[in-house]
Amino acid sequence: MAAAHQPPETPKTLVTLPDDLALEILGRVPCKDDRASMSLVCKAWRAMVARLSARPPPPLPWLLLPSRFRSHPTFRAACVLSGSCCVHPHHNHLSILPLLLPGARFVGSYDGTWIFLHYGGPTRAHGLLNLRTRQSVAIPSSFLRSDGLILNGMFILAATLSSSPNDPSCIGAAIVVAWRDPDPYAAAMVAAAPPSPRYRRFLAFWRMGWAVACEMALGGAASHHPGVYDVEDVVHHGGAFNVLVNYGDHILVCTQAEPVHQGTWGWMKSELLCFRPDDDERIYGQFVRARHIVASRGELLKVMRWKPRRGQPTSSMFKVFRATKRPQMPDDADFPVAEFPWAWSELDTLDGRILFVGYGCSRSYDADQYPDIEAGIYFLDDGKFYDEGVFFRDHFIRPYPCSDNGKYSEGCVQRCFPKTDKSDHSPPAWLLP
């Protein structure tokens, strides 16, 4: 009689798991935090994850969701890679936020988990905080205008850096809103009827460590172009700051002219790239909600976001355009190539791109590096970007809705992020690893 079949011996350690099977498992767990949880199973798993995760794809941004009340701030991070954009509620990056940022507003982010912050109240300061290292860096809250006047109490709408804040040659660029005249904030607080706001946007630059930023002093053709100061987004690409001009969707390319000392202006030079005007402001009764500029695969993209009509908070449609040189012939009688040498060419498909859009912090990734992640556009509810006056009336501020977050793919908006309540101090923000 043949001996009964014996089951295989139970392995004493999981280190015997074949590499091809381990890679198959890890391929379905792209989130680095979820992989860290896998490492807690045992020493063998920890060694396996460390060995097989030597070259993971770049981590995708997290969505930082602020709490409802500034008096008791809490923060949640929604992860695109971790199954239906689930929340990592106890991540150590977030544990310091309630201690350091009571009531602070997110006004952008930079690579390496750096967050731009605005502190309200009388100080009205700005700062950079690294959520990984807990390092904080002061950045200017006032700027020197080209006429020699220093404006205090500015508010950053969008910002980015040329390199890490720890780089001594780092340059910061920001689209700010400030009063046209000397800040009448203190007088308005005691006046029976505060005057109507007199503010506009400025483009400001600074070297890391400076206490005061400097207004961009435009020269040449740029200074005579209508609406060139009405700028909306900025990205550092190709060794220069590329600023999206709202009027005509032109690009203002800004580079350092010469080394300078703090307290001088005119140290940045600019060139205006003029694009052939487009008629896509309205599409079937919809209105442009936002414009973003993204560096992707060595070129610049413009992402336009529409909503059904004014007053409705929900985004409904996105279009993506590539910056292209116009052919020299045939010419256009209304918009000659010599005056408008560039054009925005609409993309029929994202071609495998994953785009995360946000003012000053848009990023592009390739979907083929992330299992089960499809091409699409992830967007966040950046709230009051167009309601600039609200930044100067802290005690009258309306709550940020914080609800228009999601993904746009194949012509549809997906509400993939967790629902959140309105916030009385900050919109959501991307946390860039």
Side-chain angles (χ1 to χ4, degrees), residues 234-307:
V234 58
V235 66
H236 192 263
H237 168 70
F241 292 100
N242 294 262
V243 184
L244 183 61
V245 177
N246 216 348
Y247 183 90
D249 287 0
H250 306 307
I251 297 292
L252 191 66
V253 181
C254 303
T255 55
Q256 181 175 325
E258 57 185 14
V260 294
H261 299 286
Q262 182 176 350
T264 61
W265 62 274
W267 60 284
M268 295 288 290
K269 62 180 180 180
S270 64
E271 177 188 3
L272 185 65
L273 306 183
C274 290
F275 285 70
R276 186 189 187 283
D278 217 337
D279 296 326
D280 279 336
E281 288 299 302
R282 289 192 182 189
I283 295 183
Y284 307 116
Q286 303 194 32
F287 294 87
V288 174
R289 171 66 175 81
R291 295 175 175 84
H292 299 284
I293 185 171
V294 190
S296 176
R297 301 175 184 174
E299 53 191 6
L300 287 178
L301 303 180
K302 179 184 69 170
V303 179
M304 297 188 71
R305 172 178 172 185
W306 278 266
K307 64 179 181 179

Side-chain angles (χ1 to χ4, degrees), residues 178-202:
W179 298 93
R180 293 177 182 271
D181 303 318
D183 188 352
Y185 179 79
M189 289 292 292
V190 298
S196 300
R198 295 179 304 220
Y199 47 78
R200 73 168 178 88
R201 296 183 191 181
F202 297 84

Side-chain angles (χ1 to χ4, degrees), residues 10-285:
T10 302
K12 295 182 175 60
T13 172
L14 292 176
V15 75
T16 58
L17 194 68
D19 278 2
D20 57 347
L21 180 57
L23 285 170
E24 188 73 16
I25 295 173
L26 289 177
R28 286 163 169 73
V29 188
C31 174
K32 65 176 183 178
D33 275 58
D34 290 337
R35 289 190 177 192
S37 298
M38 290 175 59
S39 299
L40 299 177
V41 172
C42 65
K43 291 183 179 180
W45 272 83
R46 184 159 57 251
M48 177 197 68
V49 171
R51 177 170 55 86
L52 298 179
S53 300
R55 294 184 179 180
L60 297 180
W62 289 1
L63 179 64
L64 279 182
L65 296 169
S67 64
R68 181 177 180 181
F69 302 109
R70 70 171 70 190
S71 56
H72 297 88
T74 57
F75 303 85
R76 297 184 296 161
C79 176
V80 171
L81 292 174
S82 187
S84 301
C85 300
C86 75
V87 169
H88 291 299
H90 304 298
H91 196 277
N92 58 2
H93 290 175
L94 307 182
S95 61
I96 64 170
L97 286 175
L99 300 176
L100 299 181
L101 315 178
R105 300 172 187 166
F106 300 137
V107 291
S109 54
Y110 185 72
D111 293 332
T113 65
W114 288 96
I115 291 290
F116 287 95
L117 299 165
H118 174 82
Y119 301 92
T123 58
R124 296 189 169 200
H126 289 93
L128 268 167
L129 174 68
N130 190 301
L131 300 191
R132 179 182 294 114
T133 65
R134 305 192 180 194
Q135 178 187 0
S136 61
V137 176
I139 58 177
S141 296
S142 58
F143 68 99
L144 176 69
R145 282 199 336 196
S146 57
D147 59 4
L149 181 67
I150 293 181
L151 293 187
N152 299 309
M154 72 180 192
F155 192 100
I156 290 178
L157 299 179
T160 192
L161 306 174
S162 63
S163 56
S164 166
N166 295 318
D167 181 356
S169 62
C170 174
I171 298 176
I175 299 170
V176 305
V177 60
W179 298 93
R180 293 177 182 271
D181 303 318
D183 188 352
Y185 179 79
M189 289 292 292
V190 298
S196 300
R198 295 179 304 220
Y199 47 78
R200 73 168 178 88
R201 296 183 191 181
F202 297 84
L203 184 57
F205 294 87
W206 70 91
R207 293 292 296 267
M208 201 55 61
W210 286 11
V212 178
C214 300
E215 179 188 1
M216 180 75 225
L218 301 178
S223 62
H224 303 292
H225 196 280
V228 72
Y229 287 97
D230 186 15
V231 292
E232 180 157 356
D233 201 4
V234 58
V235 66
H236 192 263
H237 168 70
F241 292 100
N242 294 262
V243 184
L244 183 61
V245 177
N246 216 348
Y247 183 90
D249 287 0
H250 306 307
I251 297 292
L252 191 66
V253 181
C254 303
T255 55
Q256 181 175 325
E258 57 185 14
V260 294
H261 299 286
Q262 182 176 350
T264 61
W265 62 274
W267 60 284
M268 295 288 290
K269 62 180 180 180
S270 64
E271 177 188 3
L272 185 65
L273 306 183
C274 290
F275 285 70
R276 186 189 187 283
D278 217 337
D279 296 326
D280 279 336
E281 288 299 302
R282 289 192 182 189
I283 295 183
Y284 307 116

